[in-house]
Amino acid sequence: MNNDRLDALIKRIASEHDIVLTKDDPVLMMHTLNEVLLEQNEKAHAELLSKYEAILQESFNQWHSYASKKANALINTQQNHFSKNNDQLIDQSMQLISEKIRIEINHEIHEINRISRQAAIMNLLAACLVLVSAILVLVILG
């Protein structure tokens, strides 16, 4: 402890307690010893605080890494689930579209068959009329 601080302490004790101390007084040695211990304690606390800060930082980094991995895993799972649902939806949509197309094609085929049948019947009737006309012409002319 420097002399100015020691002199200030002696003056303060003298003014507050009406006791005059000398520089070799054991009370001042205890005061100096307390200051030294406080300085050492302050250094030890600063060192412990620094170590604690490093431990906290490492723990935070580990937690951050763990949380990031978990979040990424959840996101990937959600994306896979979405993709699977999306694929299922696409498959269902494609099946519905295929079914609609198949129904429409079958309907068109049925309609074409109906029209073809009607045309065949008309052709058959026309052929019968031609045959009857030819027979009548032969009977009348013959």
Side-chain angles (χ1 to χ4, degrees), residues 65-101:
S65 175
Y66 175 77
S68 294
K69 287 178 184 175
K70 279 294 187 184
N72 287 335
L74 285 172
I75 288 170
N76 288 337
T77 301
Q78 192 64 19
Q79 284 177 337
N80 290 339
H81 183 69
F82 176 75
S83 178
K84 185 183 285 184
N85 284 345
N86 198 23
D87 289 346
Q88 288 174 348
L89 184 61
I90 289 171
D91 287 344
Q92 289 173 350
S93 297
M94 292 301 290
Q95 287 174 357
L96 285 173
I97 290 169
S98 295
E99 183 66 20
K100 293 277 185 189
I101 290 172

Short mmCIF file of all heavy atoms in Angstrom, two decimals, residues 65-101:
data_model
loop_
_atom_site.label_atom_id
_atom_site.label_comp_id
_atom_site.label_asym_id
_atom_site.label_seq_id
_atom_site.Cartn_x
_atom_site.Cartn_y
_atom_site.Cartn_z
N SER A 65 -25.28 -26.10 -31.18
CA SER A 65 -25.05 -27.17 -32.15
C SER A 65 -26.13 -28.24 -32.04
O SER A 65 -26.69 -28.69 -33.05
CB SER A 65 -23.66 -27.78 -31.92
OG SER A 65 -23.46 -28.88 -32.74
N TYR A 66 -26.44 -28.64 -30.82
CA TYR A 66 -27.47 -29.65 -30.59
C TYR A 66 -28.83 -29.15 -31.08
O TYR A 66 -29.55 -29.88 -31.78
CB TYR A 66 -27.54 -29.98 -29.09
CG TYR A 66 -28.65 -30.92 -28.72
CD1 TYR A 66 -28.54 -32.29 -28.98
CD2 TYR A 66 -29.82 -30.46 -28.13
CE1 TYR A 66 -29.56 -33.17 -28.65
CE2 TYR A 66 -30.84 -31.32 -27.80
CZ TYR A 66 -30.72 -32.67 -28.06
OH TYR A 66 -31.73 -33.52 -27.74
N ALA A 67 -29.17 -27.91 -30.74
CA ALA A 67 -30.46 -27.35 -31.15
C ALA A 67 -30.52 -27.23 -32.68
O ALA A 67 -31.57 -27.51 -33.28
CB ALA A 67 -30.67 -25.98 -30.49
N SER A 68 -29.41 -26.84 -33.30
CA SER A 68 -29.39 -26.74 -34.76
C SER A 68 -29.59 -28.11 -35.40
O SER A 68 -30.36 -28.24 -36.36
CB SER A 68 -28.07 -26.14 -35.24
OG SER A 68 -27.94 -24.81 -34.82
N LYS A 69 -28.92 -29.12 -34.86
CA LYS A 69 -29.08 -30.48 -35.40
C LYS A 69 -30.52 -30.95 -35.24
O LYS A 69 -31.10 -31.53 -36.17
CB LYS A 69 -28.13 -31.45 -34.71
CG LYS A 69 -26.68 -31.28 -35.12
CD LYS A 69 -25.77 -32.23 -34.37
CE LYS A 69 -24.32 -31.99 -34.71
NZ LYS A 69 -23.41 -32.82 -33.91
N LYS A 70 -31.09 -30.72 -34.06
CA LYS A 70 -32.47 -31.13 -33.83
C LYS A 70 -33.42 -30.38 -34.76
O LYS A 70 -34.34 -30.97 -35.33
CB LYS A 70 -32.88 -30.87 -32.37
CG LYS A 70 -32.43 -31.92 -31.41
CD LYS A 70 -33.15 -33.21 -31.68
CE LYS A 70 -32.86 -34.23 -30.63
NZ LYS A 70 -33.46 -35.51 -30.92
N ALA A 71 -33.21 -29.08 -34.90
CA ALA A 71 -34.07 -28.28 -35.77
C ALA A 71 -33.96 -28.76 -37.22
O ALA A 71 -34.97 -28.90 -37.91
CB ALA A 71 -33.70 -26.79 -35.66
N ASN A 72 -32.73 -29.01 -37.66
CA ASN A 72 -32.54 -29.50 -39.04
C ASN A 72 -33.19 -30.87 -39.22
O ASN A 72 -33.79 -31.15 -40.26
CB ASN A 72 -31.06 -29.56 -39.38
CG ASN A 72 -30.47 -28.19 -39.60
OD1 ASN A 72 -31.17 -27.25 -39.94
ND2 ASN A 72 -29.17 -28.06 -39.40
N ALA A 73 -33.07 -31.73 -38.18
CA ALA A 73 -33.70 -33.05 -38.27
C ALA A 73 -35.22 -32.91 -38.36
O ALA A 73 -35.88 -33.59 -39.15
CB ALA A 73 -33.31 -33.90 -37.05
N LEU A 74 -35.77 -32.00 -37.55
CA LEU A 74 -37.22 -31.77 -37.60
C LEU A 74 -37.65 -31.21 -38.95
O LEU A 74 -38.67 -31.61 -39.52
CB LEU A 74 -37.64 -30.81 -36.48
CG LEU A 74 -37.67 -31.41 -35.07
CD1 LEU A 74 -37.91 -30.31 -34.04
CD2 LEU A 74 -38.72 -32.48 -34.96
N ILE A 75 -36.86 -30.28 -39.47
CA ILE A 75 -37.18 -29.70 -40.78
C ILE A 75 -37.12 -30.77 -41.86
O ILE A 75 -38.01 -30.85 -42.70
CB ILE A 75 -36.22 -28.53 -41.10
CG1 ILE A 75 -36.55 -27.33 -40.21
CG2 ILE A 75 -36.29 -28.14 -42.57
CD1 ILE A 75 -35.51 -26.22 -40.26
N ASN A 76 -36.06 -31.60 -41.81
CA ASN A 76 -35.94 -32.68 -42.81
C ASN A 76 -37.10 -33.66 -42.70
O ASN A 76 -37.65 -34.09 -43.72
CB ASN A 76 -34.60 -33.40 -42.66
CG ASN A 76 -33.44 -32.56 -43.13
OD1 ASN A 76 -33.61 -31.65 -43.93
ND2 ASN A 76 -32.26 -32.85 -42.62
N THR A 77 -37.46 -34.00 -41.46
CA THR A 77 -38.59 -34.92 -41.26
C THR A 77 -39.86 -34.31 -41.81
O THR A 77 -40.64 -34.98 -42.49
CB THR A 77 -38.75 -35.23 -39.76
OG1 THR A 77 -37.55 -35.82 -39.27
CG2 THR A 77 -39.91 -36.17 -39.51
N GLN A 78 -40.05 -33.03 -41.51
CA GLN A 78 -41.25 -32.35 -41.99
C GLN A 78 -41.26 -32.28 -43.52
O GLN A 78 -42.29 -32.48 -44.16
CB GLN A 78 -41.34 -30.94 -41.39
CG GLN A 78 -42.65 -30.26 -41.59
CD GLN A 78 -43.80 -30.96 -40.89
OE1 GLN A 78 -43.61 -31.74 -39.98
NE2 GLN A 78 -45.00 -30.72 -41.35
N GLN A 79 -40.09 -31.98 -44.10
CA GLN A 79 -40.01 -31.93 -45.57
C GLN A 79 -40.28 -33.31 -46.17
O GLN A 79 -40.98 -33.42 -47.17
CB GLN A 79 -38.63 -31.43 -46.01
CG GLN A 79 -38.46 -29.94 -45.83
CD GLN A 79 -37.06 -29.47 -46.21
OE1 GLN A 79 -36.11 -30.24 -46.20
NE2 GLN A 79 -36.95 -28.19 -46.52
N ASN A 80 -39.71 -34.36 -45.55
CA ASN A 80 -39.96 -35.72 -46.04
C ASN A 80 -41.44 -36.06 -45.93
O ASN A 80 -42.02 -36.66 -46.84
CB ASN A 80 -39.12 -36.74 -45.28
CG ASN A 80 -37.65 -36.63 -45.61
OD1 ASN A 80 -37.28 -36.10 -46.65
ND2 ASN A 80 -36.81 -37.12 -44.73
N HIS A 81 -42.03 -35.69 -44.79
CA HIS A 81 -43.45 -35.95 -44.59
C HIS A 81 -44.27 -35.18 -45.62
O HIS A 81 -45.20 -35.73 -46.22
CB HIS A 81 -43.85 -35.55 -43.16
CG HIS A 81 -45.27 -35.83 -42.83
ND1 HIS A 81 -45.76 -37.11 -42.69
CD2 HIS A 81 -46.32 -35.00 -42.61
CE1 HIS A 81 -47.05 -37.05 -42.41
NE2 HIS A 81 -47.42 -35.78 -42.36
N PHE A 82 -43.91 -33.92 -45.82
CA PHE A 82 -44.61 -33.10 -46.82
C PHE A 82 -44.43 -33.71 -48.21
O PHE A 82 -45.38 -33.80 -48.98
CB PHE A 82 -44.09 -31.67 -46.79
CG PHE A 82 -44.69 -30.79 -47.85
CD1 PHE A 82 -45.99 -30.33 -47.73
CD2 PHE A 82 -43.96 -30.46 -48.98
CE1 PHE A 82 -46.55 -29.54 -48.71
CE2 PHE A 82 -44.52 -29.67 -49.97
CZ PHE A 82 -45.82 -29.21 -49.84
N SER A 83 -43.19 -34.12 -48.50
CA SER A 83 -42.91 -34.72 -49.81
C SER A 83 -43.72 -36.00 -49.99
O SER A 83 -44.29 -36.23 -51.06
CB SER A 83 -41.42 -34.99 -49.94
OG SER A 83 -41.15 -35.61 -51.16
N LYS A 84 -43.76 -36.82 -48.94
CA LYS A 84 -44.51 -38.07 -49.01
C LYS A 84 -46.00 -37.77 -49.21
O LYS A 84 -46.65 -38.37 -50.06
CB LYS A 84 -44.32 -38.88 -47.73
CG LYS A 84 -44.97 -40.25 -47.76
CD LYS A 84 -44.82 -40.99 -46.45
CE LYS A 84 -43.42 -41.50 -46.32
NZ LYS A 84 -43.22 -42.30 -45.11
N ASN A 85 -46.51 -36.81 -48.44
CA ASN A 85 -47.92 -36.43 -48.60
C ASN A 85 -48.16 -35.84 -49.98
O ASN A 85 -49.20 -36.11 -50.60
CB ASN A 85 -48.34 -35.41 -47.52
CG ASN A 85 -48.55 -36.07 -46.18
OD1 ASN A 85 -48.65 -37.28 -46.08
ND2 ASN A 85 -48.60 -35.27 -45.14
N ASN A 86 -47.21 -35.03 -50.43
CA ASN A 86 -47.32 -34.42 -51.75
C ASN A 86 -47.31 -35.50 -52.83
O ASN A 86 -48.09 -35.45 -53.78
CB ASN A 86 -46.19 -33.41 -51.95
CG ASN A 86 -46.48 -32.44 -53.07
OD1 ASN A 86 -47.62 -32.23 -53.43
ND2 ASN A 86 -45.43 -31.86 -53.62
N ASP A 87 -46.40 -36.47 -52.68
CA ASP A 87 -46.34 -37.58 -53.64
C ASP A 87 -47.64 -38.38 -53.63
O ASP A 87 -48.15 -38.76 -54.70
CB ASP A 87 -45.16 -38.51 -53.32
CG ASP A 87 -43.81 -37.87 -53.63
OD1 ASP A 87 -43.80 -36.83 -54.32
OD2 ASP A 87 -42.79 -38.41 -53.17
N GLN A 88 -48.18 -38.61 -52.44
CA GLN A 88 -49.44 -39.34 -52.35
C GLN A 88 -50.57 -38.54 -53.01
O GLN A 88 -51.40 -39.10 -53.73
CB GLN A 88 -49.80 -39.62 -50.89
CG GLN A 88 -48.94 -40.67 -50.23
CD GLN A 88 -49.23 -40.82 -48.74
OE1 GLN A 88 -49.92 -40.01 -48.15
NE2 GLN A 88 -48.69 -41.87 -48.15
N LEU A 89 -50.57 -37.24 -52.77
CA LEU A 89 -51.59 -36.39 -53.38
C LEU A 89 -51.46 -36.40 -54.90
O LEU A 89 -52.46 -36.49 -55.61
CB LEU A 89 -51.47 -34.96 -52.83
CG LEU A 89 -52.51 -33.96 -53.30
CD1 LEU A 89 -53.91 -34.40 -52.88
CD2 LEU A 89 -52.19 -32.58 -52.76
N ILE A 90 -50.22 -36.33 -55.38
CA ILE A 90 -49.99 -36.37 -56.83
C ILE A 90 -50.45 -37.72 -57.38
O ILE A 90 -51.12 -37.77 -58.42
CB ILE A 90 -48.50 -36.11 -57.15
CG1 ILE A 90 -48.17 -34.63 -56.89
CG2 ILE A 90 -48.17 -36.49 -58.59
CD1 ILE A 90 -46.69 -34.31 -56.97
N ASP A 91 -50.11 -38.81 -56.68
CA ASP A 91 -50.54 -40.14 -57.14
C ASP A 91 -52.07 -40.23 -57.18
O ASP A 91 -52.64 -40.74 -58.16
CB ASP A 91 -49.99 -41.24 -56.23
CG ASP A 91 -48.50 -41.46 -56.41
OD1 ASP A 91 -47.95 -40.99 -57.44
OD2 ASP A 91 -47.88 -42.10 -55.54
N GLN A 92 -52.72 -39.75 -56.13
CA GLN A 92 -54.18 -39.78 -56.11
C GLN A 92 -54.76 -38.93 -57.24
O GLN A 92 -55.72 -39.35 -57.89
CB GLN A 92 -54.70 -39.28 -54.76
CG GLN A 92 -54.45 -40.24 -53.61
CD GLN A 92 -54.82 -39.62 -52.27
OE1 GLN A 92 -55.09 -38.43 -52.16
NE2 GLN A 92 -54.81 -40.45 -51.23
N SER A 93 -54.17 -37.77 -57.43
CA SER A 93 -54.64 -36.90 -58.51
C SER A 93 -54.46 -37.57 -59.86
O SER A 93 -55.37 -37.52 -60.72
CB SER A 93 -53.89 -35.56 -58.50
OG SER A 93 -54.14 -34.86 -57.31
N MET A 94 -53.31 -38.19 -60.07
CA MET A 94 -53.06 -38.88 -61.34
C MET A 94 -54.04 -40.04 -61.52
O MET A 94 -54.54 -40.27 -62.63
CB MET A 94 -51.62 -39.40 -61.40
CG MET A 94 -50.57 -38.30 -61.48
SD MET A 94 -50.77 -37.23 -62.91
CE MET A 94 -50.33 -38.36 -64.21
N GLN A 95 -54.33 -40.76 -60.45
CA GLN A 95 -55.30 -41.85 -60.54
C GLN A 95 -56.69 -41.32 -60.89
O GLN A 95 -57.39 -41.89 -61.72
CB GLN A 95 -55.35 -42.64 -59.23
CG GLN A 95 -54.14 -43.50 -58.99
CD GLN A 95 -54.15 -44.16 -57.62
OE1 GLN A 95 -55.03 -43.92 -56.82
NE2 GLN A 95 -53.14 -44.98 -57.36
N LEU A 96 -57.07 -40.21 -60.25
CA LEU A 96 -58.38 -39.61 -60.56
C LEU A 96 -58.43 -39.14 -62.00
O LEU A 96 -59.44 -39.36 -62.70
CB LEU A 96 -58.67 -38.44 -59.61
CG LEU A 96 -59.07 -38.81 -58.19
CD1 LEU A 96 -59.17 -37.56 -57.31
CD2 LEU A 96 -60.40 -39.56 -58.17
N ILE A 97 -57.36 -38.48 -62.45
CA ILE A 97 -57.31 -38.01 -63.84
C ILE A 97 -57.37 -39.20 -64.80
O ILE A 97 -58.13 -39.18 -65.78
CB ILE A 97 -56.05 -37.16 -64.09
CG1 ILE A 97 -56.16 -35.83 -63.34
CG2 ILE A 97 -55.82 -36.93 -65.57
CD1 ILE A 97 -54.87 -35.02 -63.31
N SER A 98 -56.59 -40.25 -64.50
CA SER A 98 -56.60 -41.44 -65.36
C SER A 98 -57.99 -42.06 -65.39
O SER A 98 -58.48 -42.48 -66.45
CB SER A 98 -55.59 -42.48 -64.84
OG SER A 98 -54.29 -41.99 -64.95
N GLU A 99 -58.63 -42.13 -64.24
CA GLU A 99 -59.98 -42.70 -64.16
C GLU A 99 -60.97 -41.86 -64.98
O GLU A 99 -61.79 -42.41 -65.73
CB GLU A 99 -60.43 -42.78 -62.69
CG GLU A 99 -61.77 -43.43 -62.49
CD GLU A 99 -61.80 -44.91 -62.85
OE1 GLU A 99 -60.73 -45.55 -62.90
OE2 GLU A 99 -62.90 -45.42 -63.10
N LYS A 100 -60.87 -40.54 -64.87
CA LYS A 100 -61.75 -39.65 -65.64
C LYS A 100 -61.51 -39.84 -67.14
O LYS A 100 -62.47 -39.92 -67.92
CB LYS A 100 -61.52 -38.19 -65.26
CG LYS A 100 -61.92 -37.82 -63.87
CD LYS A 100 -63.39 -37.53 -63.82
CE LYS A 100 -63.74 -37.05 -62.42
NZ LYS A 100 -65.13 -36.94 -62.20
N ILE A 101 -60.25 -39.90 -67.53
CA ILE A 101 -59.92 -40.10 -68.95
C ILE A 101 -60.46 -41.44 -69.42
O ILE A 101 -61.06 -41.55 -70.50
CB ILE A 101 -58.39 -39.98 -69.19
CG1 ILE A 101 -57.95 -38.53 -69.00
CG2 ILE A 101 -58.02 -40.49 -70.57
CD1 ILE A 101 -56.44 -38.34 -69.01
#
